[in-house]
C-alpha cells in the first residue's frame, strides 16, 4: 500500500514534526494485543513510534510467514455421531482437521447451505469456528498487530452474526478475508461497497431479498445509522420531509431522515446473492454464493437521497453506488467514523481538538487509497494518545491475547477459549444486533462480567481449554532469587515499568514474604509464581491499557 505522507504531516495537531513521547507499553497495549516477545519490544524501541507506525500501517497483503505457518499447522477437532434414519444419514466422525475454510472460495463452501445434502450441523457451521480460532492465532502471533486491532474494530463496526444463519456462517471466511482484512487500512468508500456487496451482509440484513415494489429497508437503515453518518445525525424527530432538513435544498443536508432510508433501500433493490433462486420460468440464479445484480428486481424509477435527485433507468448498480458516494462524502460520516476510531484507540477522554483534526483528515483523504491508515496515524501520534494510558478497558479478546503474549506461553487456539471469551461477553462473530458489541465500559465490567474476566485469565493459567502451559521462568529475563524479585519482574513484564508495587501487593494478598527464597525451576515455586502471574493479570492495571 503506497503512502503519500499526508498523515505524517498532520500526525500531531500540536507539533506536526515532533510526535510526543509515548510509553512502549501504551503503544503495544493499545495498537497491538499487548507487549509480545522481546524482539518485538526492542524493535519498537529501536525504530521509534513513527517508523513503527509506518511499517504497521502499510503491511503486505496476507499473513506474515510465521503467522501463516502457524495457521497452516493449526488443527481443530470436529466430532459428531452418525446420522440415522428417519433423519439424514451420514457416518460418525472424530478428527483433527486443518483450517481449510479460511482460504476456500465461497462457491466451494456454498454446498454447506444445502439442507438436501445430509450432514451434521457442526459441518455446516464449521467456517465460523475456523475463523474464530484463526482470529486468536493472529491476535497472538501476527507481526502486523495494528492491522489485527483494526480488523477487530471493523468486524464490530460492520457486524454480522454468523451463529444463527448458515448462509452468513458459510460466507464468513470470505467476509473476513476479502472484505474486512482487505480494506481495514484502506479507503472507506471502497470498504462500503465491499460490505454492501458481501454475501454475509446481504443475508444478515436481508437485502438479498429486496425487490422493486417490496424494498427491504434493513440494510439501508443500518448503512446510515451505524455504518456511516451515525445515529447522532438521524434527524427524523425534527424533520419528516427531506426539503426541511437544513442544507437539503442545496444537496448538503445536515443529516438523514426516514425518507433517505426508504429511497436508499430502493436504490439497493436487485443487489442479491447467487443462491439458486428462481428468476421466473425455468431460469434460476446459480448456487455459488457470489454477489449478483438482477436488473428485473431493481427499482429503476427516480429517487432522491440526501437531497440529491437520481435519474430513472440508470446503468446496473449505479443507484446503489451513488448512495455509497453520497454517504462516504458526507461530513457527518467523517465525524462519526473518525470519532469512533478516536474513542477506540484513545478512550473516552478525546479532546475536541483531536476529534476535529481526525474528522478533517478523514474528509480530506476520502479519495486516497490509505484513508483509514492516515487517520489512525494521526490519532496514534497525537498528545491525546500519549497521555491516555489506562483509559481503555481491554475487551476479552484483547485480554486473552495480551495474557498469552505477556507470559510467552506456547499457544494453541481452541474452541474452548472462544467459549471462554463468549462467557466474558465477547461472542466472536456471534453478536446478534447489528450495532456490534457495546463500546461502553459498563457492559464489560458488570459484577458477573468482572468475574468472567478473572475466570478467563485463571482458565488460561490453568490450561483449562488446552491452550498451553505457562512457564514462569520464561518471564524472568534475569534469574530471581526471592519471591519479591520474581513478583517485581512479573509485574514489569505484564504491566510495564513502574508497576512493581502491584506484584508486591499480590504477594501480600497471598501472604508470601517478599524475602522468601525462590527457585523458579522447582515445581512448588513455579506454582506459586503462576498464582502471582494470574493475580497480576486480574489487576486493574492489566485489565486496562
Amino acid at each position: 500500500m503506497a503512502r503519500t505522507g499526508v498523515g505524517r504531516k498532520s500526525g500531531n495537531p500540536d507539533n506536526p514534526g515532533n510526535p510526543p513521547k509515548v510509553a512502549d507499553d501504551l503503544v503495544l497495549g493499545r495498537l497491538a494485543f499487548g507487549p509480545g516477545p522481546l524482539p518485538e519490544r526492542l524493535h519498537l524501541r529501536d525504530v521509534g513510534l513513527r517508523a513503527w507506525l509506518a511499517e504497521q500501517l502499510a503491511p503486505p497483503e496476507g499473513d506474515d510467514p510465521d503467522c501463516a505457518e502457524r495457521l497452516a499447522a493449526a488443527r481443530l477437532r470436529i466430532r459428531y455421531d452418525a446420522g440415522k434414519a428417519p433423519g439424514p444419514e451420514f457416518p460418525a466422525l472424530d478428527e483433527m482437521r486443518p483450517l481449510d475454510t479460511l482460504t476456500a472460495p465461497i462457491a466451494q463452501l456454498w454446498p454447506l447451505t444445502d439442507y438436501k445434502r445430509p450432514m451434521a450441523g457442526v459441518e455446516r457451521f464449521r467456517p465460523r469456528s475456523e475463523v474464530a480460532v484463526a482470529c486468536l492465532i493472529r491476535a497472538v502471533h501476527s507481526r502486523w498487530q495494528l492491522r489485527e486491532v483494526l480488523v477487530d474494530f471493523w468486524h464490530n463496526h460492520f457486524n454480522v452474526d454468523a451463529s444463527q444463519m448458515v448462509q452468513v456462517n458459510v460466507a464468513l471466511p470470505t467476509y473476513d478475508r476479502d472484505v474486512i482484512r482487505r480494506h481495514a487500512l484502506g479507503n472507506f468508500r471502497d470498504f462500503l461497497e465491499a460490505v454492501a456487496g458481501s454475501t454475509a451482509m446481504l443475508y444478515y440484513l436481508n437485502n438479498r431479498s429486496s425487490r422493486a415494489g417490496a424494498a427491504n429497508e434493513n440494510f439501508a437503515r443500518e448503512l446510515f445509522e451505524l455504518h456511516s453518518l451515525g445515529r447522532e445525525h438521524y434527524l427524523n424527530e425534527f424533520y419528516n420531509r427531506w426539503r426541511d432538513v437544513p442544507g437539503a435544498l442545496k444537496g448538503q443536508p445536515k443529516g438523514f431522515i426516514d425518507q433517505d432510508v426508504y429511497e436508499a433501500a430502493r436504490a439497493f433493490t436487485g443487489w442479491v446473492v447467487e443462491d439458486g433462486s428462481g428468476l421466473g420460468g425455468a431460469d434460476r440464479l446459480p448456487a455459488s454464493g457470489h454477489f449478483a445484480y438482477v436488473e428485473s428486481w431493481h427499482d429503476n424509477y427516480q429517487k432522491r437521497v440526501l437531497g440529491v435527485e437520481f435519474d430513472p433507468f440508470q446503468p446496473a448498480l449505479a443507484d446503489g453506488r451513488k448512495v455509497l458516494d453520497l454517504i462516504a462524502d458526507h461530513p457527518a460520516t467523517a465525524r462519526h467514523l473518525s470519532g469512533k476510531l478516536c474513542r477506540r484507540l484513545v478512550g473516552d477522554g478525546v479532546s475536541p481538538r483531536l476529534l476535529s483534526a481526525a474528522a478533517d483528515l478523514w474528509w480530506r483523504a476520502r479519495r486516497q487509497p490509505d484513508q483509514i491508515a492516515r487517520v489512525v496515524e494521526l490519532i496514534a501520534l497525537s498528545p491525546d494518545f500519549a497521555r491516555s494510558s489506562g483509559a481503555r478497558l481491554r475487551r476479552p479478546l484483547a485480554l486473552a491475547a495480551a495474557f498469552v503474549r505477556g507470559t510467552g506461553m506456547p499457544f494453541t487456539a481452541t474452541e474452548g477459549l472462544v467459549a471462554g471469551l463468549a462467557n466474558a461477553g465477547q461472542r466472536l462473530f456471534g453478536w446478534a444486533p447489528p450495532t456490534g458489541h457495546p463500546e461502553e465500559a459498563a457492559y464489560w465490567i458488570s459484577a458477573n462480567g468482572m468475574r468472567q474476566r478473572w475466570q478467563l485469565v485463571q482458565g488460561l493459567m490453568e490450561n483449562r481449554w488446552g491452550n498451553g502451559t505457562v512457564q514462569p521462568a520464561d518471564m524472568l529475563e534475569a534469574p530471581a532469587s526471592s519471591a519479591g524479585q520474581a513478583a517485581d519482574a512479573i509485574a514489569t513484564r505484564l504491566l510495564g515499568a513502574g508497576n512493581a508495587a502491584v506484584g508486591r501487593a499480590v504477594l501480600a494478598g497471598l501472604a508470601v514474604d517478599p524475602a522468601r527464597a525462590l527457585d523458579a525451576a522447582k515445581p512448588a515455586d513455579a506454582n506459586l509464581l503462576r498464582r502471582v502471574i494470574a493475580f497480576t493479570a486480574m489487576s486493574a492495571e492489566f485489565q486496562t491499557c
Side-chain angles (χ1 to χ4, degrees), residues 211 272-279 283-287 292-294 297:
R211 308 283 189 271
V272 299
V273 175
E274 291 183 347
D275 58 1
S277 296
L279 294 169
D283 294 334
R284 306 189 72 84
L285 287 167
Y293 176 75
V294 179
W297 291 349

Side-chain angles (χ1 to χ4, degrees), residues 378-392:
L378 180 146
I379 295 167
L381 294 176
S382 70
D384 289 54
F385 182 82
R387 56 176 174 257
S388 68
S389 182
R392 288 293 301 172

Side-chain angles (χ1 to χ4, degrees), residues 188-193 196 207 216-217 219-225 227-229 251 253 256-269 271 298-299 301-311 314-331 333 367:
F188 187 68
R189 167 61 182 81
D190 294 343
F191 205 163
L192 277 177
E193 186 161 346
N207 204 74
N216 188 305
E217 72 174 72
F219 170 69
R221 184 165 296 280
E222 307 309 350
L223 177 65
F224 280 94
E225 190 165 314
H227 299 166
S228 59
L229 278 75
F256 70 98
I257 61 174
D258 286 343
Q259 286 182 353
D260 296 304
V261 173
Y262 303 149
E263 295 286 271
R266 294 175 56 219
F268 287 104
T269 51
W271 291 47
H298 180 63
D299 183 336
Y301 293 102
Q302 65 269 19
K303 305 168 184 71
R304 182 185 291 107
V305 179
L306 293 174
V308 176
E309 297 276 1
F310 288 37
D311 291 333
Q314 294 298 298
L317 302 172
D319 284 347
R321 285 172 171 164
K322 189 168 184 176
V323 172
L324 298 177
D325 289 341
L326 291 172
I327 63 176
D329 278 355
H330 200 288
T333 296
R367 302 284 186 266

Side-chain angles (χ1 to χ4, degrees), residues 453-465:
R453 293 168 69 86
W454 294 332
Q455 286 292 314
L456 181 61
V457 169
Q458 190 67 32
L460 284 166
M461 176 55 69
E462 295 174 351
N463 196 18
R464 191 177 299 166
W465 303 295

Side-chain angles (χ1 to χ4, degrees), residues 146-283:
L146 181 50
R147 181 170 62 188
E148 294 309 312
V149 169
L150 292 170
V151 163
D152 177 57
F153 171 84
W154 290 117
H155 264 301
N156 202 63
H157 181 76
F158 291 119
N159 181 64
V160 297
D161 178 11
S163 68
Q164 301 297 320
M165 192 181 298
V166 68
Q167 292 90 346
V168 179
N169 163 80
V170 168
L172 185 62
T174 301
Y175 188 65
D176 176 66
R177 180 183 69 237
D178 297 334
V179 178
I180 302 296
R181 292 183 170 279
R182 181 166 295 171
H183 297 279
L185 291 162
N187 177 270
F188 187 68
R189 167 61 182 81
D190 294 343
F191 205 163
L192 277 177
E193 186 161 346
V195 170
S198 68
T199 300
M201 190 63 75
L202 284 164
Y203 264 91
Y204 175 60
L205 290 180
N206 309 116
N207 204 74
R208 58 101 188 178
S209 61
S210 193
R211 308 283 189 271
N216 188 305
E217 72 174 72
N218 285 1
F219 170 69
R221 184 165 296 280
E222 307 309 350
L223 177 65
F224 280 94
E225 190 165 314
L226 298 178
H227 299 166
S228 59
L229 278 75
R231 182 68 178 79
E232 64 270 28
H233 295 102
Y234 176 59
L235 305 179
N236 214 77
E237 59 188 288
F238 305 109
Y239 315 101
N240 57 20
R241 298 189 306 171
W242 74 271
R243 63 179 60 86
D244 294 335
V245 178
L249 293 175
K250 297 180 180 180
Q252 299 174 338
K254 183 179 178 181
F256 70 98
I257 61 174
D258 286 343
Q259 286 182 353
D260 296 304
V261 173
Y262 303 149
E263 295 286 271
R266 294 175 56 219
F268 287 104
T269 51
W271 291 47
V272 299
V273 175
E274 291 183 347
D275 58 1
S277 296
L279 294 169
D283 294 334

Side-chain angles (χ1 to χ4, degrees), residues 1-4 6-7 57 150 154 183-192 327-330 333-335 337-338 341 358-379:
M1 181 186 299
R3 302 296 306 282
T4 61
V6 171
L57 289 172
L150 292 170
W154 290 117
H183 297 279
L185 291 162
N187 177 270
F188 187 68
R189 167 61 182 81
D190 294 343
F191 205 163
L192 277 177
I327 63 176
D329 278 355
H330 200 288
T333 296
R335 291 191 294 272
L337 268 296
S338 62
L341 275 169
D360 177 66
L361 179 56
W362 181 282
W363 194 82
R364 286 189 290 110
R366 68 192 185 282
R367 302 284 186 266
Q368 300 301 323
D370 59 347
Q371 174 194 15
I372 296 168
R374 294 176 185 222
V375 175
V376 170
E377 182 181 54
L378 180 146
I379 295 167

